Amino acid sequence: MSDQEYVNEAVPVQLTRESRFCFDCHPGVPCFTDCCRKINIMLTPYDIIRIKNRMGIPSDEFLAVYTEPQILEKTGLPVPVMRLLDDEKQSCPFVRDGEGCIIYADRPSACRYYPIGMATRSHMEDVVEGTQDDFFFMINEERCKGHQETKEWSIAEWRMDQGVDLQDRINEGWTDLIVRKKSFGFTMDMTEKSRKLFFMVCYNIDGFKRFVFESDFLKMHNISDEIIQKISEDEVTLLQFGFDWLQAILFKRDPEGRFLVKEEFAGARKK
């Protein structure tokens, strides 16, 4: 078997937070950093905030240099994936032989979860009610020797150790948007403008901030001074504000009416 023919098997057993497994990854494992090569790493909104801040560059520069856009299956939504190096190993740009990940403290959610996968069973009525039924599963790759280690975890212990609970909480609004769009499928058509807005809000936080504060956005909507202050000072708050705005414009979900366009602007739009 060549190094390009690794078996990547998601074991079809549903696991809970209490399910236990053995796994460990460290420089002493023979396959150390192999999982950082020839891999599709989809980045979440919070991943991008953490990594671009770690590097000290704006999000639009990070996206241009380190990512490539893909269309998420069954949704038509754009997502950024890590652009691998054009080397023999097709490596993540942040991995080093022997050293491992040079941004480990700010590594992507996909890397934190491995070798656990999470899936969501959701039916249309669940989405409408805002409930989701999540479960976990084990990913077994033939190249990964970490499964042969004796260190034992529960799913909950692994998630806490890897810091994915925080990641998931911050990305929750983004996940909900994807689940809703997946439930509607391609019966809910999105314009190119809508896709670009989705991409900007979710992944280009610096671009979204310019959009909010340098356009007529705040004049058009009844946003309180308190919220304006918060989103001007904190990127995570701005990101979650953006998720709420996308829910309003894509799915007409705005229970507080924050994103209703003021009458004078609505009238101008109709002319």
Side-chain angles (χ1 to χ4, degrees):
M1 176 178 291
S2 74
D3 62 354
Q4 294 185 0
E5 296 174 337
Y6 291 118
V7 175
N8 183 358
E9 180 183 358
V11 180
V13 175
Q14 294 180 15
L15 306 175
T16 69
R17 291 176 183 267
E18 289 71 42
S19 299
R20 304 195 69 81
F21 65 101
C22 290
F23 183 84
D24 200 10
C25 183
H26 52 81
V29 178
C31 60
F32 186 60
T33 74
D34 281 0
C35 59
C36 307
R37 332 277 184 169
K38 299 183 177 71
I39 186 152
N40 197 47
I41 305 174
M42 187 179 79
L43 299 173
T44 71
Y46 189 47
D47 290 340
I48 293 172
I49 287 178
R50 292 191 63 158
I51 299 173
K52 68 100 177 175
N53 286 341
R54 170 73 173 258
M55 300 179 70
I57 61 176
S59 53
D60 42 10
E61 180 180 341
F62 173 80
L63 289 166
V65 175
Y66 291 98
T67 75
E68 296 176 341
Q70 286 187 2
I71 298 299
L72 192 62
E73 186 181 6
K74 298 181 180 179
T75 68
L77 293 173
V79 294
V81 299
M82 194 76 79
R83 177 178 287 139
L84 303 182
L85 296 179
D86 187 19
D87 61 1
E88 183 180 354
K89 296 182 178 179
Q90 298 175 40
S91 308
C92 169
F94 301 110
V95 70
R96 301 290 184 271
D97 289 334
E99 184 180 355
C101 179
I102 61 173
I103 59 164
Y104 187 77
D106 298 296
R107 66 198 183 281
S109 297
C111 306
R112 294 170 185 270
Y113 259 102
Y114 189 85
I116 302 301
M118 186 175 78
T120 298
R121 288 190 303 267
S122 59
H123 303 287
M124 190 62 195
E125 60 270 21
D126 297 325
V127 173
V128 171
E129 294 300 322
T131 61
Q132 299 171 16
D133 187 7
D134 297 334
F135 64 92
F136 305 94
F137 55 90
M138 185 66 62
I139 299 171
N140 276 326
E141 293 182 295
E142 189 166 326
R143 63 180 169 182
C144 181
K145 309 305 178 186
H147 295 282
Q148 299 173 11
E149 298 289 298
T150 58
K151 191 167 185 178
E152 186 175 340
W153 312 81
S154 68
I155 299 290
E157 290 168 345
W158 179 257
R159 284 171 55 84
M160 181 175 295
D161 183 77
Q162 299 296 304
V164 294
D165 283 336
L166 172 63
Q167 304 278 124
D168 286 351
R169 283 198 302 273
I170 293 175
N171 288 317
E172 185 177 3
W174 170 73
T175 303
D176 185 61
L177 286 163
I178 290 175
V179 170
R180 287 180 183 279
K181 181 61 175 71
K182 187 175 182 180
S183 297
F184 282 102
F186 289 98
T187 60
M188 175 192 162
D189 191 26
M190 290 180 65
T191 64
E192 185 62 24
K193 181 179 179 181
S194 295
R195 292 189 183 91
K196 287 181 178 179
L197 282 175
F198 177 87
F199 193 90
M200 175 185 66
V201 173
C202 293
Y203 311 118
N204 187 359
I205 193 68
D206 294 301
F208 181 49
K209 187 171 186 177
R210 290 193 298 270
F211 173 78
V212 170
F213 288 97
E214 297 177 16
S215 72
D216 287 334
F217 182 91
L218 294 176
K219 296 178 183 177
M220 294 171 60
H221 302 93
N222 290 306
I223 311 299
S224 70
D225 291 340
E226 180 183 5
I227 291 177
I228 292 173
Q229 182 70 24
K230 288 180 179 179
I231 64 176
S232 70
E233 296 174 343
D234 183 71
E235 288 181 321
V236 170
T237 303
L238 175 62
L239 181 67
Q240 294 173 332
F241 174 87
F243 295 154
D244 290 342
W245 180 56
L246 287 175
Q247 289 280 4
I249 63 174
L250 296 180
F251 302 107
K252 312 302 180 188
R253 298 182 72 241
D254 185 16
E256 297 178 8
R258 283 193 298 170
F259 301 111
L260 292 175
V261 177
K262 293 179 181 178
E263 186 175 347
E264 59 267 32
F265 286 95
R269 280 184 165 185
K270 294 177 182 178
K271 293 179 181 179

